[in-house]
Amino acid sequence: MKRLSLLLVMIFTVCLSWATIDEYYSFTANTATYTPITGTDAGISSDNVLSAAIPIGFTFGYGDFSYSEVKISTNGWVGLGTSQTDDNLTNNLASTTYQPVVAPLWDDISMASGTVSYEMTGTAPTRIFTIQYADAKWNYSGSVGFNFQVQLYETGKISFIYGSSGGTPNNPSASIGINMSPGGSGWYYSVDPTSGTASTT
């Protein structure tokens, strides 16, 4: 009996070691209308700042974990939970340190002349938590403002929505996508917006 139990534990452990992000999420590119929100100001209209913990308003299931708060970086990413401690501008979705992260435009962005706001809409069990970056300078010394949103759905879906822009970013190098624990290859989606595809490696 002990051998059988040990064998089952070993099989279970091997199965867990092969799990990757694509067992939890798939990527689909489509079009959506960017509709500005008039939510609560996150209080981070500056450069290189991480917000305090902000309640989502519902429990957001992400992989094997659930989160009820986020921290928003002015550098175009949102940390799920409260573990993040700085605004990190290095845009590395393969990071084993900066995860779990939802990154609509992770780069050296400034919000000094813009605003980051959030709001929760809808009714249970289909509520949506929207985070909006308005007039983001990409990169920090750019002159053109960019508008984009992250939407976290109570159902587990994540959407990135981008507004139109009247100019070109200044020396951009952004990462766009999501990652989850434990981080590294196979634990993130990196989106290529020009082709509408995503990679996990």
Side-chain angles (χ1 to χ4, degrees):
M1 184 60 124
K2 288 183 181 180
R3 284 186 184 169
L4 178 59
S5 296
L6 180 60
L7 179 62
L8 289 173
V9 168
M10 289 173 56
I11 290 171
F12 182 71
T13 303
V14 168
C15 289
L16 283 179
S17 68
W18 291 104
T20 56
I21 197 168
D22 58 4
E23 293 186 31
Y24 300 99
Y25 279 95
S26 60
F27 172 77
T28 305
N30 57 31
T31 58
T33 302
Y34 178 88
T35 305
I37 64 169
T38 56
T40 303
D41 190 321
I44 55 173
S45 292
S46 187
D47 190 24
N48 297 329
V49 177
L50 183 67
S51 76
I54 296 170
I56 296 172
F58 54 83
T59 300
F60 180 70
Y62 189 72
D64 288 332
F65 301 95
S66 295
Y67 301 94
S68 58
E69 296 173 302
V70 296
K71 287 187 173 181
I72 305 169
S73 170
T74 56
N75 288 313
W77 58 268
V78 177
L80 300 175
T82 60
S83 64
Q84 300 305 327
T85 58
D86 73 55
D87 58 278
N88 192 327
L89 54 77
T90 60
N91 70 40
N92 180 10
L93 285 168
S95 175
T96 56
T97 304
Y98 286 89
Q99 47 81 17
V101 166
V102 175
L105 194 67
W106 189 357
D107 205 350
D108 191 1
I109 293 172
S110 175
M111 295 306 301
S113 61
T115 57
V116 179
S117 55
Y118 60 91
E119 74 176 6
M120 195 262 297
T121 56
T123 56
T126 58
R127 292 171 286 191
I128 302 169
F129 184 73
T130 301
I131 299 160
Q132 177 176 275
Y133 291 77
D135 201 24
K137 298 302 188 267
W138 179 28
N139 67 18
Y140 69 94
S141 62
S143 59
V144 179
F146 292 86
N147 303 312
F148 52 95
Q149 296 173 340
V150 177
Q151 292 182 331
L152 304 178
Y153 289 70
E154 192 170 10
T155 59
K157 177 182 170 182
I158 300 168
S159 290
F160 299 156
I161 303 173
Y162 301 90
S164 59
S165 172
T168 304
N170 181 32
N171 199 24
S173 65
S175 292
I176 298 170
I178 62 174
N179 71 13
M180 65 175 47
S181 179
S185 184
W187 289 99
Y188 65 88
Y189 271 112
S190 178
V191 177
D192 178 352
T194 57
S195 65
T197 60
S199 170
T200 60
T201 57

